Amino acid sequence: DTGVSQDPRHKITKRGQNVTFRCDPISEHNRLYWYRQTLGQGPEFLTYFQNEAQLEKSRLLSDRFSAERPKGSFSTLEIQRTEQGDSAMYLCASSLVRGINTEAFFGQGTRLTVV
Amino acid sequence: AQSVTQLDSHVSVSEGTPVLLRCNYSSSYSPSLFWYVQHPNKGLQLLLKYTSAATLVKGINGFEAEFKKSETSFHLTKPSAHMSDAAEYFCVVSRGNNNDMRFGAGTRLTVKP
């Protein structure tokens, strides 16, 4: 257990529905990241927060995706009008940024299946 | 732009023999490089990291990696494989401070008894 919690662990939804995932990072960590991992591929960067500010978003993050970290603690990732191509593992990671010697700790992920 | 290429999608070794997982990187910056391991149904775990200090980096569970700038490589090695090493391994490059970590496609390591 890395200390990063994700909820739910699994989600099955019908195409067109909205889904929301939650990530609770390690408590003192100021940076939080979202990644997406499809079968047979490495994780792909989606977005990251420094405290409550969303500093970078990948082009993979379409308009149907939105992420928040309202108080600089937990984060949510919402997907609106889900599509079958959204089926993937969504990973959250957190780190405490001090200089360059940092380590990102990953949660176990939320596996989304869109049917 | 930065990216990594893991040269083997699958590596199979016998228990007790050396492990070599190959990774080449491309980066416009002085990169930070990492190796992560992913066991089935478990989160990604950091094995080791290079951040412009010593070029030979020692990690957990007996793994090592050597940063070779001239070859743009960061290969992962272990002298003697153990059954518990069977997992998916990811080479990762970032600009430092974990900004925008770019993962390779992964190498699945199989260890035969």
Side-chain angles (χ1 to χ4, degrees):
Chain A
D1 182 7
T2 63
V4 179
S5 300
Q6 292 188 245
D7 184 70
R9 293 289 309 280
H10 303 274
K11 177 71 177 179
I12 300 174
T13 191
K14 291 184 178 180
R15 190 173 49 186
Q17 298 294 304
N18 299 344
V19 294
T20 300
F21 310 140
R22 177 181 170 120
C23 172
D24 286 276
I26 294 172
S27 60
E28 67 269 23
H29 283 186
N30 53 2
R31 192 164 285 186
L32 187 148
Y33 313 81
W34 286 100
Y35 284 80
R36 180 174 69 186
Q37 185 178 17
T38 52
L39 204 61
Q41 299 297 318
E44 297 171 293
F45 169 77
L46 293 179
T47 187
Y48 87 91
F49 294 83
Q50 177 84 13
N51 299 312
E52 66 274 12
Q54 189 173 17
L55 295 188
E56 192 168 344
K57 291 194 289 187
S58 161
R59 284 172 291 181
L60 292 174
L61 214 64
S62 75
D63 292 344
R64 296 184 297 105
F65 287 70
S66 62
E68 293 182 341
R69 194 183 183 198
K71 297 183 180 179
S73 56
F74 73 92
S75 175
T76 57
L77 178 68
E78 181 183 16
I79 309 174
Q80 296 182 323
R81 304 180 306 280
T82 52
E83 302 172 356
Q84 286 190 318
D86 298 330
S87 295
M89 177 76 84
Y90 290 84
L91 297 169
C92 175
S94 70
S95 67
L96 177 61
V97 176
R98 285 187 299 209
I100 61 171
N101 292 319
T102 60
E103 175 184 347
F105 292 82
F106 282 82
Q108 291 186 268
T110 294
R111 182 172 295 284
L112 173 66
T113 303
V114 181
V115 297
Chain B
Q2 51 190 7
S3 64
V4 291
T5 302
Q6 293 184 242
L7 300 169
D8 307 289
S9 60
H10 184 213
V11 169
S12 180
V13 300
S14 297
E15 190 175 20
T17 64
V19 175
L20 170 63
L21 305 183
R22 299 182 295 165
C23 172
N24 287 113
Y25 72 90
S26 171
S27 179
S28 305
Y29 307 84
S30 293
S32 294
L33 291 158
F34 309 80
W35 276 97
Y36 277 84
V37 61
Q38 189 175 38
H39 289 274
N41 300 316
K42 293 194 174 181
L44 288 156
Q45 181 184 19
L46 180 68
L47 276 179
L48 49 80
K49 60 184 177 184
Y50 164 78
T51 54
S52 75
T55 57
L56 181 62
V57 181
K58 293 185 185 297
I60 63 172
N61 300 335
F63 283 95
E64 292 183 347
E66 186 171 7
F67 174 72
K68 292 187 176 180
K69 187 175 180 179
S70 61
E71 299 176 10
T72 62
S73 69
F74 190 59
H75 301 333
L76 182 71
T77 60
K78 183 174 180 177
S80 176
H82 191 272
M83 296 297 292
S84 61
D85 294 328
E88 189 87 17
Y89 291 80
F90 293 98
C91 182
V92 184
V93 64
S94 84
R95 290 175 285 173
N97 287 343
N98 307 123
N99 290 355
D100 189 13
M101 289 192 294
R102 301 287 178 148
F103 283 72
T107 298
R108 180 169 299 277
L109 176 65
T110 301
V111 182
K112 298 175 290 187

PDB file of all heavy atoms in Angstrom, chain B residues 5 11 14-16 28 42 58-59 68 75 82 95-96 98 113:
ATOM      1  N   THR B   5      11.676   4.514 -25.279  1.00  0.00           N
ATOM      2  CA  THR B   5      11.391   3.319 -26.048  1.00  0.00           C
ATOM      3  C   THR B   5      11.926   2.119 -25.302  1.00  0.00           C
ATOM      4  O   THR B   5      13.130   2.049 -25.015  1.00  0.00           O
ATOM      5  CB  THR B   5      12.056   3.381 -27.439  1.00  0.00           C
ATOM      6  OG1 THR B   5      11.591   4.532 -28.143  1.00  0.00           O
ATOM      7  CG2 THR B   5      11.720   2.130 -28.242  1.00  0.00           C
ATOM      8  N   VAL B  11      10.408 -10.266 -22.025  1.00  0.00           N
ATOM      9  CA  VAL B  11      11.692 -10.904 -21.767  1.00  0.00           C
ATOM     10  C   VAL B  11      11.448 -12.107 -20.875  1.00  0.00           C
ATOM     11  O   VAL B  11      10.714 -12.008 -19.881  1.00  0.00           O
ATOM     12  CB  VAL B  11      12.675  -9.922 -21.077  1.00  0.00           C
ATOM     13  CG1 VAL B  11      13.906 -10.639 -20.567  1.00  0.00           C
ATOM     14  CG2 VAL B  11      13.072  -8.804 -22.038  1.00  0.00           C
ATOM     15  N   SER B  14      15.491 -17.556 -16.987  1.00  0.00           N
ATOM     16  CA  SER B  14      15.393 -18.628 -15.999  1.00  0.00           C
ATOM     17  C   SER B  14      15.794 -18.090 -14.636  1.00  0.00           C
ATOM     18  O   SER B  14      16.621 -17.165 -14.530  1.00  0.00           O
ATOM     19  CB  SER B  14      16.292 -19.803 -16.375  1.00  0.00           C
ATOM     20  OG  SER B  14      15.876 -20.374 -17.590  1.00  0.00           O
ATOM     21  N   GLU B  15      15.199 -18.629 -13.617  1.00  0.00           N
ATOM     22  CA  GLU B  15      15.530 -18.212 -12.253  1.00  0.00           C
ATOM     23  C   GLU B  15      17.032 -18.382 -12.027  1.00  0.00           C
ATOM     24  O   GLU B  15      17.629 -19.398 -12.414  1.00  0.00           O
ATOM     25  CB  GLU B  15      14.736 -19.049 -11.248  1.00  0.00           C
ATOM     26  CG  GLU B  15      14.814 -18.552  -9.817  1.00  0.00           C
ATOM     27  CD  GLU B  15      13.927 -19.342  -8.874  1.00  0.00           C
ATOM     28  OE1 GLU B  15      13.553 -20.484  -9.210  1.00  0.00           O
ATOM     29  OE2 GLU B  15      13.598 -18.819  -7.800  1.00  0.00           O
ATOM     30  N   GLY B  16      17.631 -17.331 -11.411  1.00  0.00           N
ATOM     31  CA  GLY B  16      19.059 -17.389 -11.138  1.00  0.00           C
ATOM     32  C   GLY B  16      19.947 -16.832 -12.235  1.00  0.00           C
ATOM     33  O   GLY B  16      21.147 -16.677 -12.029  1.00  0.00           O
ATOM     34  N   SER B  28      14.661  16.702 -24.670  1.00  0.00           N
ATOM     35  CA  SER B  28      15.244  18.008 -24.987  1.00  0.00           C
ATOM     36  C   SER B  28      15.885  18.641 -23.764  1.00  0.00           C
ATOM     37  O   SER B  28      16.547  19.651 -23.862  1.00  0.00           O
ATOM     38  CB  SER B  28      14.162  18.945 -25.525  1.00  0.00           C
ATOM     39  OG  SER B  28      13.503  18.364 -26.624  1.00  0.00           O
ATOM     40  N   LYS B  42      -1.639  -4.728  -8.448  1.00  0.00           N
ATOM     41  CA  LYS B  42      -0.953  -3.845  -7.493  1.00  0.00           C
ATOM     42  C   LYS B  42      -0.576  -2.545  -8.188  1.00  0.00           C
ATOM     43  O   LYS B  42      -0.484  -2.471  -9.401  1.00  0.00           O
ATOM     44  CB  LYS B  42       0.291  -4.521  -6.917  1.00  0.00           C
ATOM     45  CG  LYS B  42      -0.023  -5.717  -6.043  1.00  0.00           C
ATOM     46  CD  LYS B  42       1.189  -6.139  -5.244  1.00  0.00           C
ATOM     47  CE  LYS B  42       0.818  -7.236  -4.273  1.00  0.00           C
ATOM     48  NZ  LYS B  42       1.961  -7.671  -3.457  1.00  0.00           N
ATOM     49  N   LYS B  58      21.454   2.370  -7.978  1.00  0.00           N
ATOM     50  CA  LYS B  58      21.023   1.120  -7.346  1.00  0.00           C
ATOM     51  C   LYS B  58      19.607   1.297  -6.815  1.00  0.00           C
ATOM     52  O   LYS B  58      19.270   2.338  -6.237  1.00  0.00           O
ATOM     53  CB  LYS B  58      21.970   0.748  -6.207  1.00  0.00           C
ATOM     54  CG  LYS B  58      23.372   0.383  -6.695  1.00  0.00           C
ATOM     55  CD  LYS B  58      24.244  -0.097  -5.548  1.00  0.00           C
ATOM     56  CE  LYS B  58      25.674  -0.338  -6.021  1.00  0.00           C
ATOM     57  NZ  LYS B  58      25.733  -1.416  -7.047  1.00  0.00           N
ATOM     58  N   GLY B  59      18.803   0.271  -7.025  1.00  0.00           N
ATOM     59  CA  GLY B  59      17.420   0.341  -6.582  1.00  0.00           C
ATOM     60  C   GLY B  59      17.085  -0.761  -5.599  1.00  0.00           C
ATOM     61  O   GLY B  59      17.965  -1.398  -5.027  1.00  0.00           O
ATOM     62  N   LYS B  68      23.552   6.230 -19.568  1.00  0.00           N
ATOM     63  CA  LYS B  68      24.604   6.438 -20.562  1.00  0.00           C
ATOM     64  C   LYS B  68      24.128   7.508 -21.531  1.00  0.00           C
ATOM     65  O   LYS B  68      23.350   7.237 -22.457  1.00  0.00           O
ATOM     66  CB  LYS B  68      24.914   5.145 -21.297  1.00  0.00           C
ATOM     67  CG  LYS B  68      25.583   4.092 -20.418  1.00  0.00           C
ATOM     68  CD  LYS B  68      26.011   2.896 -21.239  1.00  0.00           C
ATOM     69  CE  LYS B  68      26.762   1.882 -20.385  1.00  0.00           C
ATOM     70  NZ  LYS B  68      27.196   0.694 -21.154  1.00  0.00           N
ATOM     71  N   HIS B  75      19.331   1.214 -19.217  1.00  0.00           N
ATOM     72  CA  HIS B  75      18.946  -0.196 -19.128  1.00  0.00           C
ATOM     73  C   HIS B  75      18.897  -0.665 -17.677  1.00  0.00           C
ATOM     74  O   HIS B  75      19.739  -0.297 -16.858  1.00  0.00           O
ATOM     75  CB  HIS B  75      19.936  -1.069 -19.910  1.00  0.00           C
ATOM     76  CG  HIS B  75      20.039  -0.726 -21.359  1.00  0.00           C
ATOM     77  ND1 HIS B  75      19.015  -0.133 -22.081  1.00  0.00           N
ATOM     78  CD2 HIS B  75      21.060  -0.903 -22.238  1.00  0.00           C
ATOM     79  CE1 HIS B  75      19.389   0.050 -23.321  1.00  0.00           C
ATOM     80  NE2 HIS B  75      20.632  -0.397 -23.457  1.00  0.00           N
ATOM     81  N   HIS B  82      14.753 -13.704  -9.690  1.00  0.00           N
ATOM     82  CA  HIS B  82      13.972 -14.476  -8.728  1.00  0.00           C
ATOM     83  C   HIS B  82      12.563 -14.585  -9.257  1.00  0.00           C
ATOM     84  O   HIS B  82      12.099 -13.712 -10.000  1.00  0.00           O
ATOM     85  CB  HIS B  82      13.994 -13.746  -7.370  1.00  0.00           C
ATOM     86  CG  HIS B  82      13.454 -14.555  -6.244  1.00  0.00           C
ATOM     87  ND1 HIS B  82      12.118 -14.561  -5.915  1.00  0.00           N
ATOM     88  CD2 HIS B  82      14.065 -15.391  -5.380  1.00  0.00           C
ATOM     89  CE1 HIS B  82      11.927 -15.373  -4.890  1.00  0.00           C
ATOM     90  NE2 HIS B  82      13.093 -15.885  -4.548  1.00  0.00           N
ATOM     91  N   ARG B  95      10.888  15.676 -16.959  1.00  0.00           N
ATOM     92  CA  ARG B  95      11.714  16.881 -16.997  1.00  0.00           C
ATOM     93  C   ARG B  95      12.262  17.240 -15.627  1.00  0.00           C
ATOM     94  O   ARG B  95      12.886  18.249 -15.465  1.00  0.00           O
ATOM     95  CB  ARG B  95      10.876  18.054 -17.528  1.00  0.00           C
ATOM     96  CG  ARG B  95      10.532  17.934 -18.986  1.00  0.00           C
ATOM     97  CD  ARG B  95       9.620  19.055 -19.398  1.00  0.00           C
ATOM     98  NE  ARG B  95       8.275  18.843 -18.916  1.00  0.00           N
ATOM     99  CZ  ARG B  95       7.306  19.736 -19.013  1.00  0.00           C
ATOM    100  NH1 ARG B  95       7.540  20.904 -19.550  1.00  0.00           N
ATOM    101  NH2 ARG B  95       6.102  19.476 -18.564  1.00  0.00           N
ATOM    102  N   GLY B  96      12.009  16.360 -14.675  1.00  0.00           N
ATOM    103  CA  GLY B  96      12.422  16.669 -13.301  1.00  0.00           C
ATOM    104  C   GLY B  96      11.199  17.037 -12.506  1.00  0.00           C
ATOM    105  O   GLY B  96      10.210  17.522 -13.048  1.00  0.00           O
ATOM    106  N   ASN B  98       9.033  15.203 -11.515  1.00  0.00           N
ATOM    107  CA  ASN B  98       7.928  14.363 -11.980  1.00  0.00           C
ATOM    108  C   ASN B  98       6.975  15.082 -12.921  1.00  0.00           C
ATOM    109  O   ASN B  98       5.875  14.612 -13.164  1.00  0.00           O
ATOM    110  CB  ASN B  98       7.107  13.806 -10.809  1.00  0.00           C
ATOM    111  CG  ASN B  98       7.974  13.100  -9.802  1.00  0.00           C
ATOM    112  OD1 ASN B  98       7.985  13.436  -8.638  1.00  0.00           O
ATOM    113  ND2 ASN B  98       8.726  12.133 -10.279  1.00  0.00           N
ATOM    114  N   PRO B 113      11.131 -21.383 -13.766  1.00  0.00           N
ATOM    115  CA  PRO B 113      11.812 -22.103 -12.674  1.00  0.00           C
ATOM    116  C   PRO B 113      12.968 -22.955 -13.194  1.00  0.00           C
ATOM    117  O   PRO B 113      13.053 -23.281 -14.368  1.00  0.00           O
ATOM    118  CB  PRO B 113      10.709 -22.991 -12.082  1.00  0.00           C
ATOM    119  CG  PRO B 113       9.620 -23.008 -13.057  1.00  0.00           C
ATOM    120  CD  PRO B 113       9.750 -21.818 -13.957  1.00  0.00           C
TER     121      PRO B 113
END
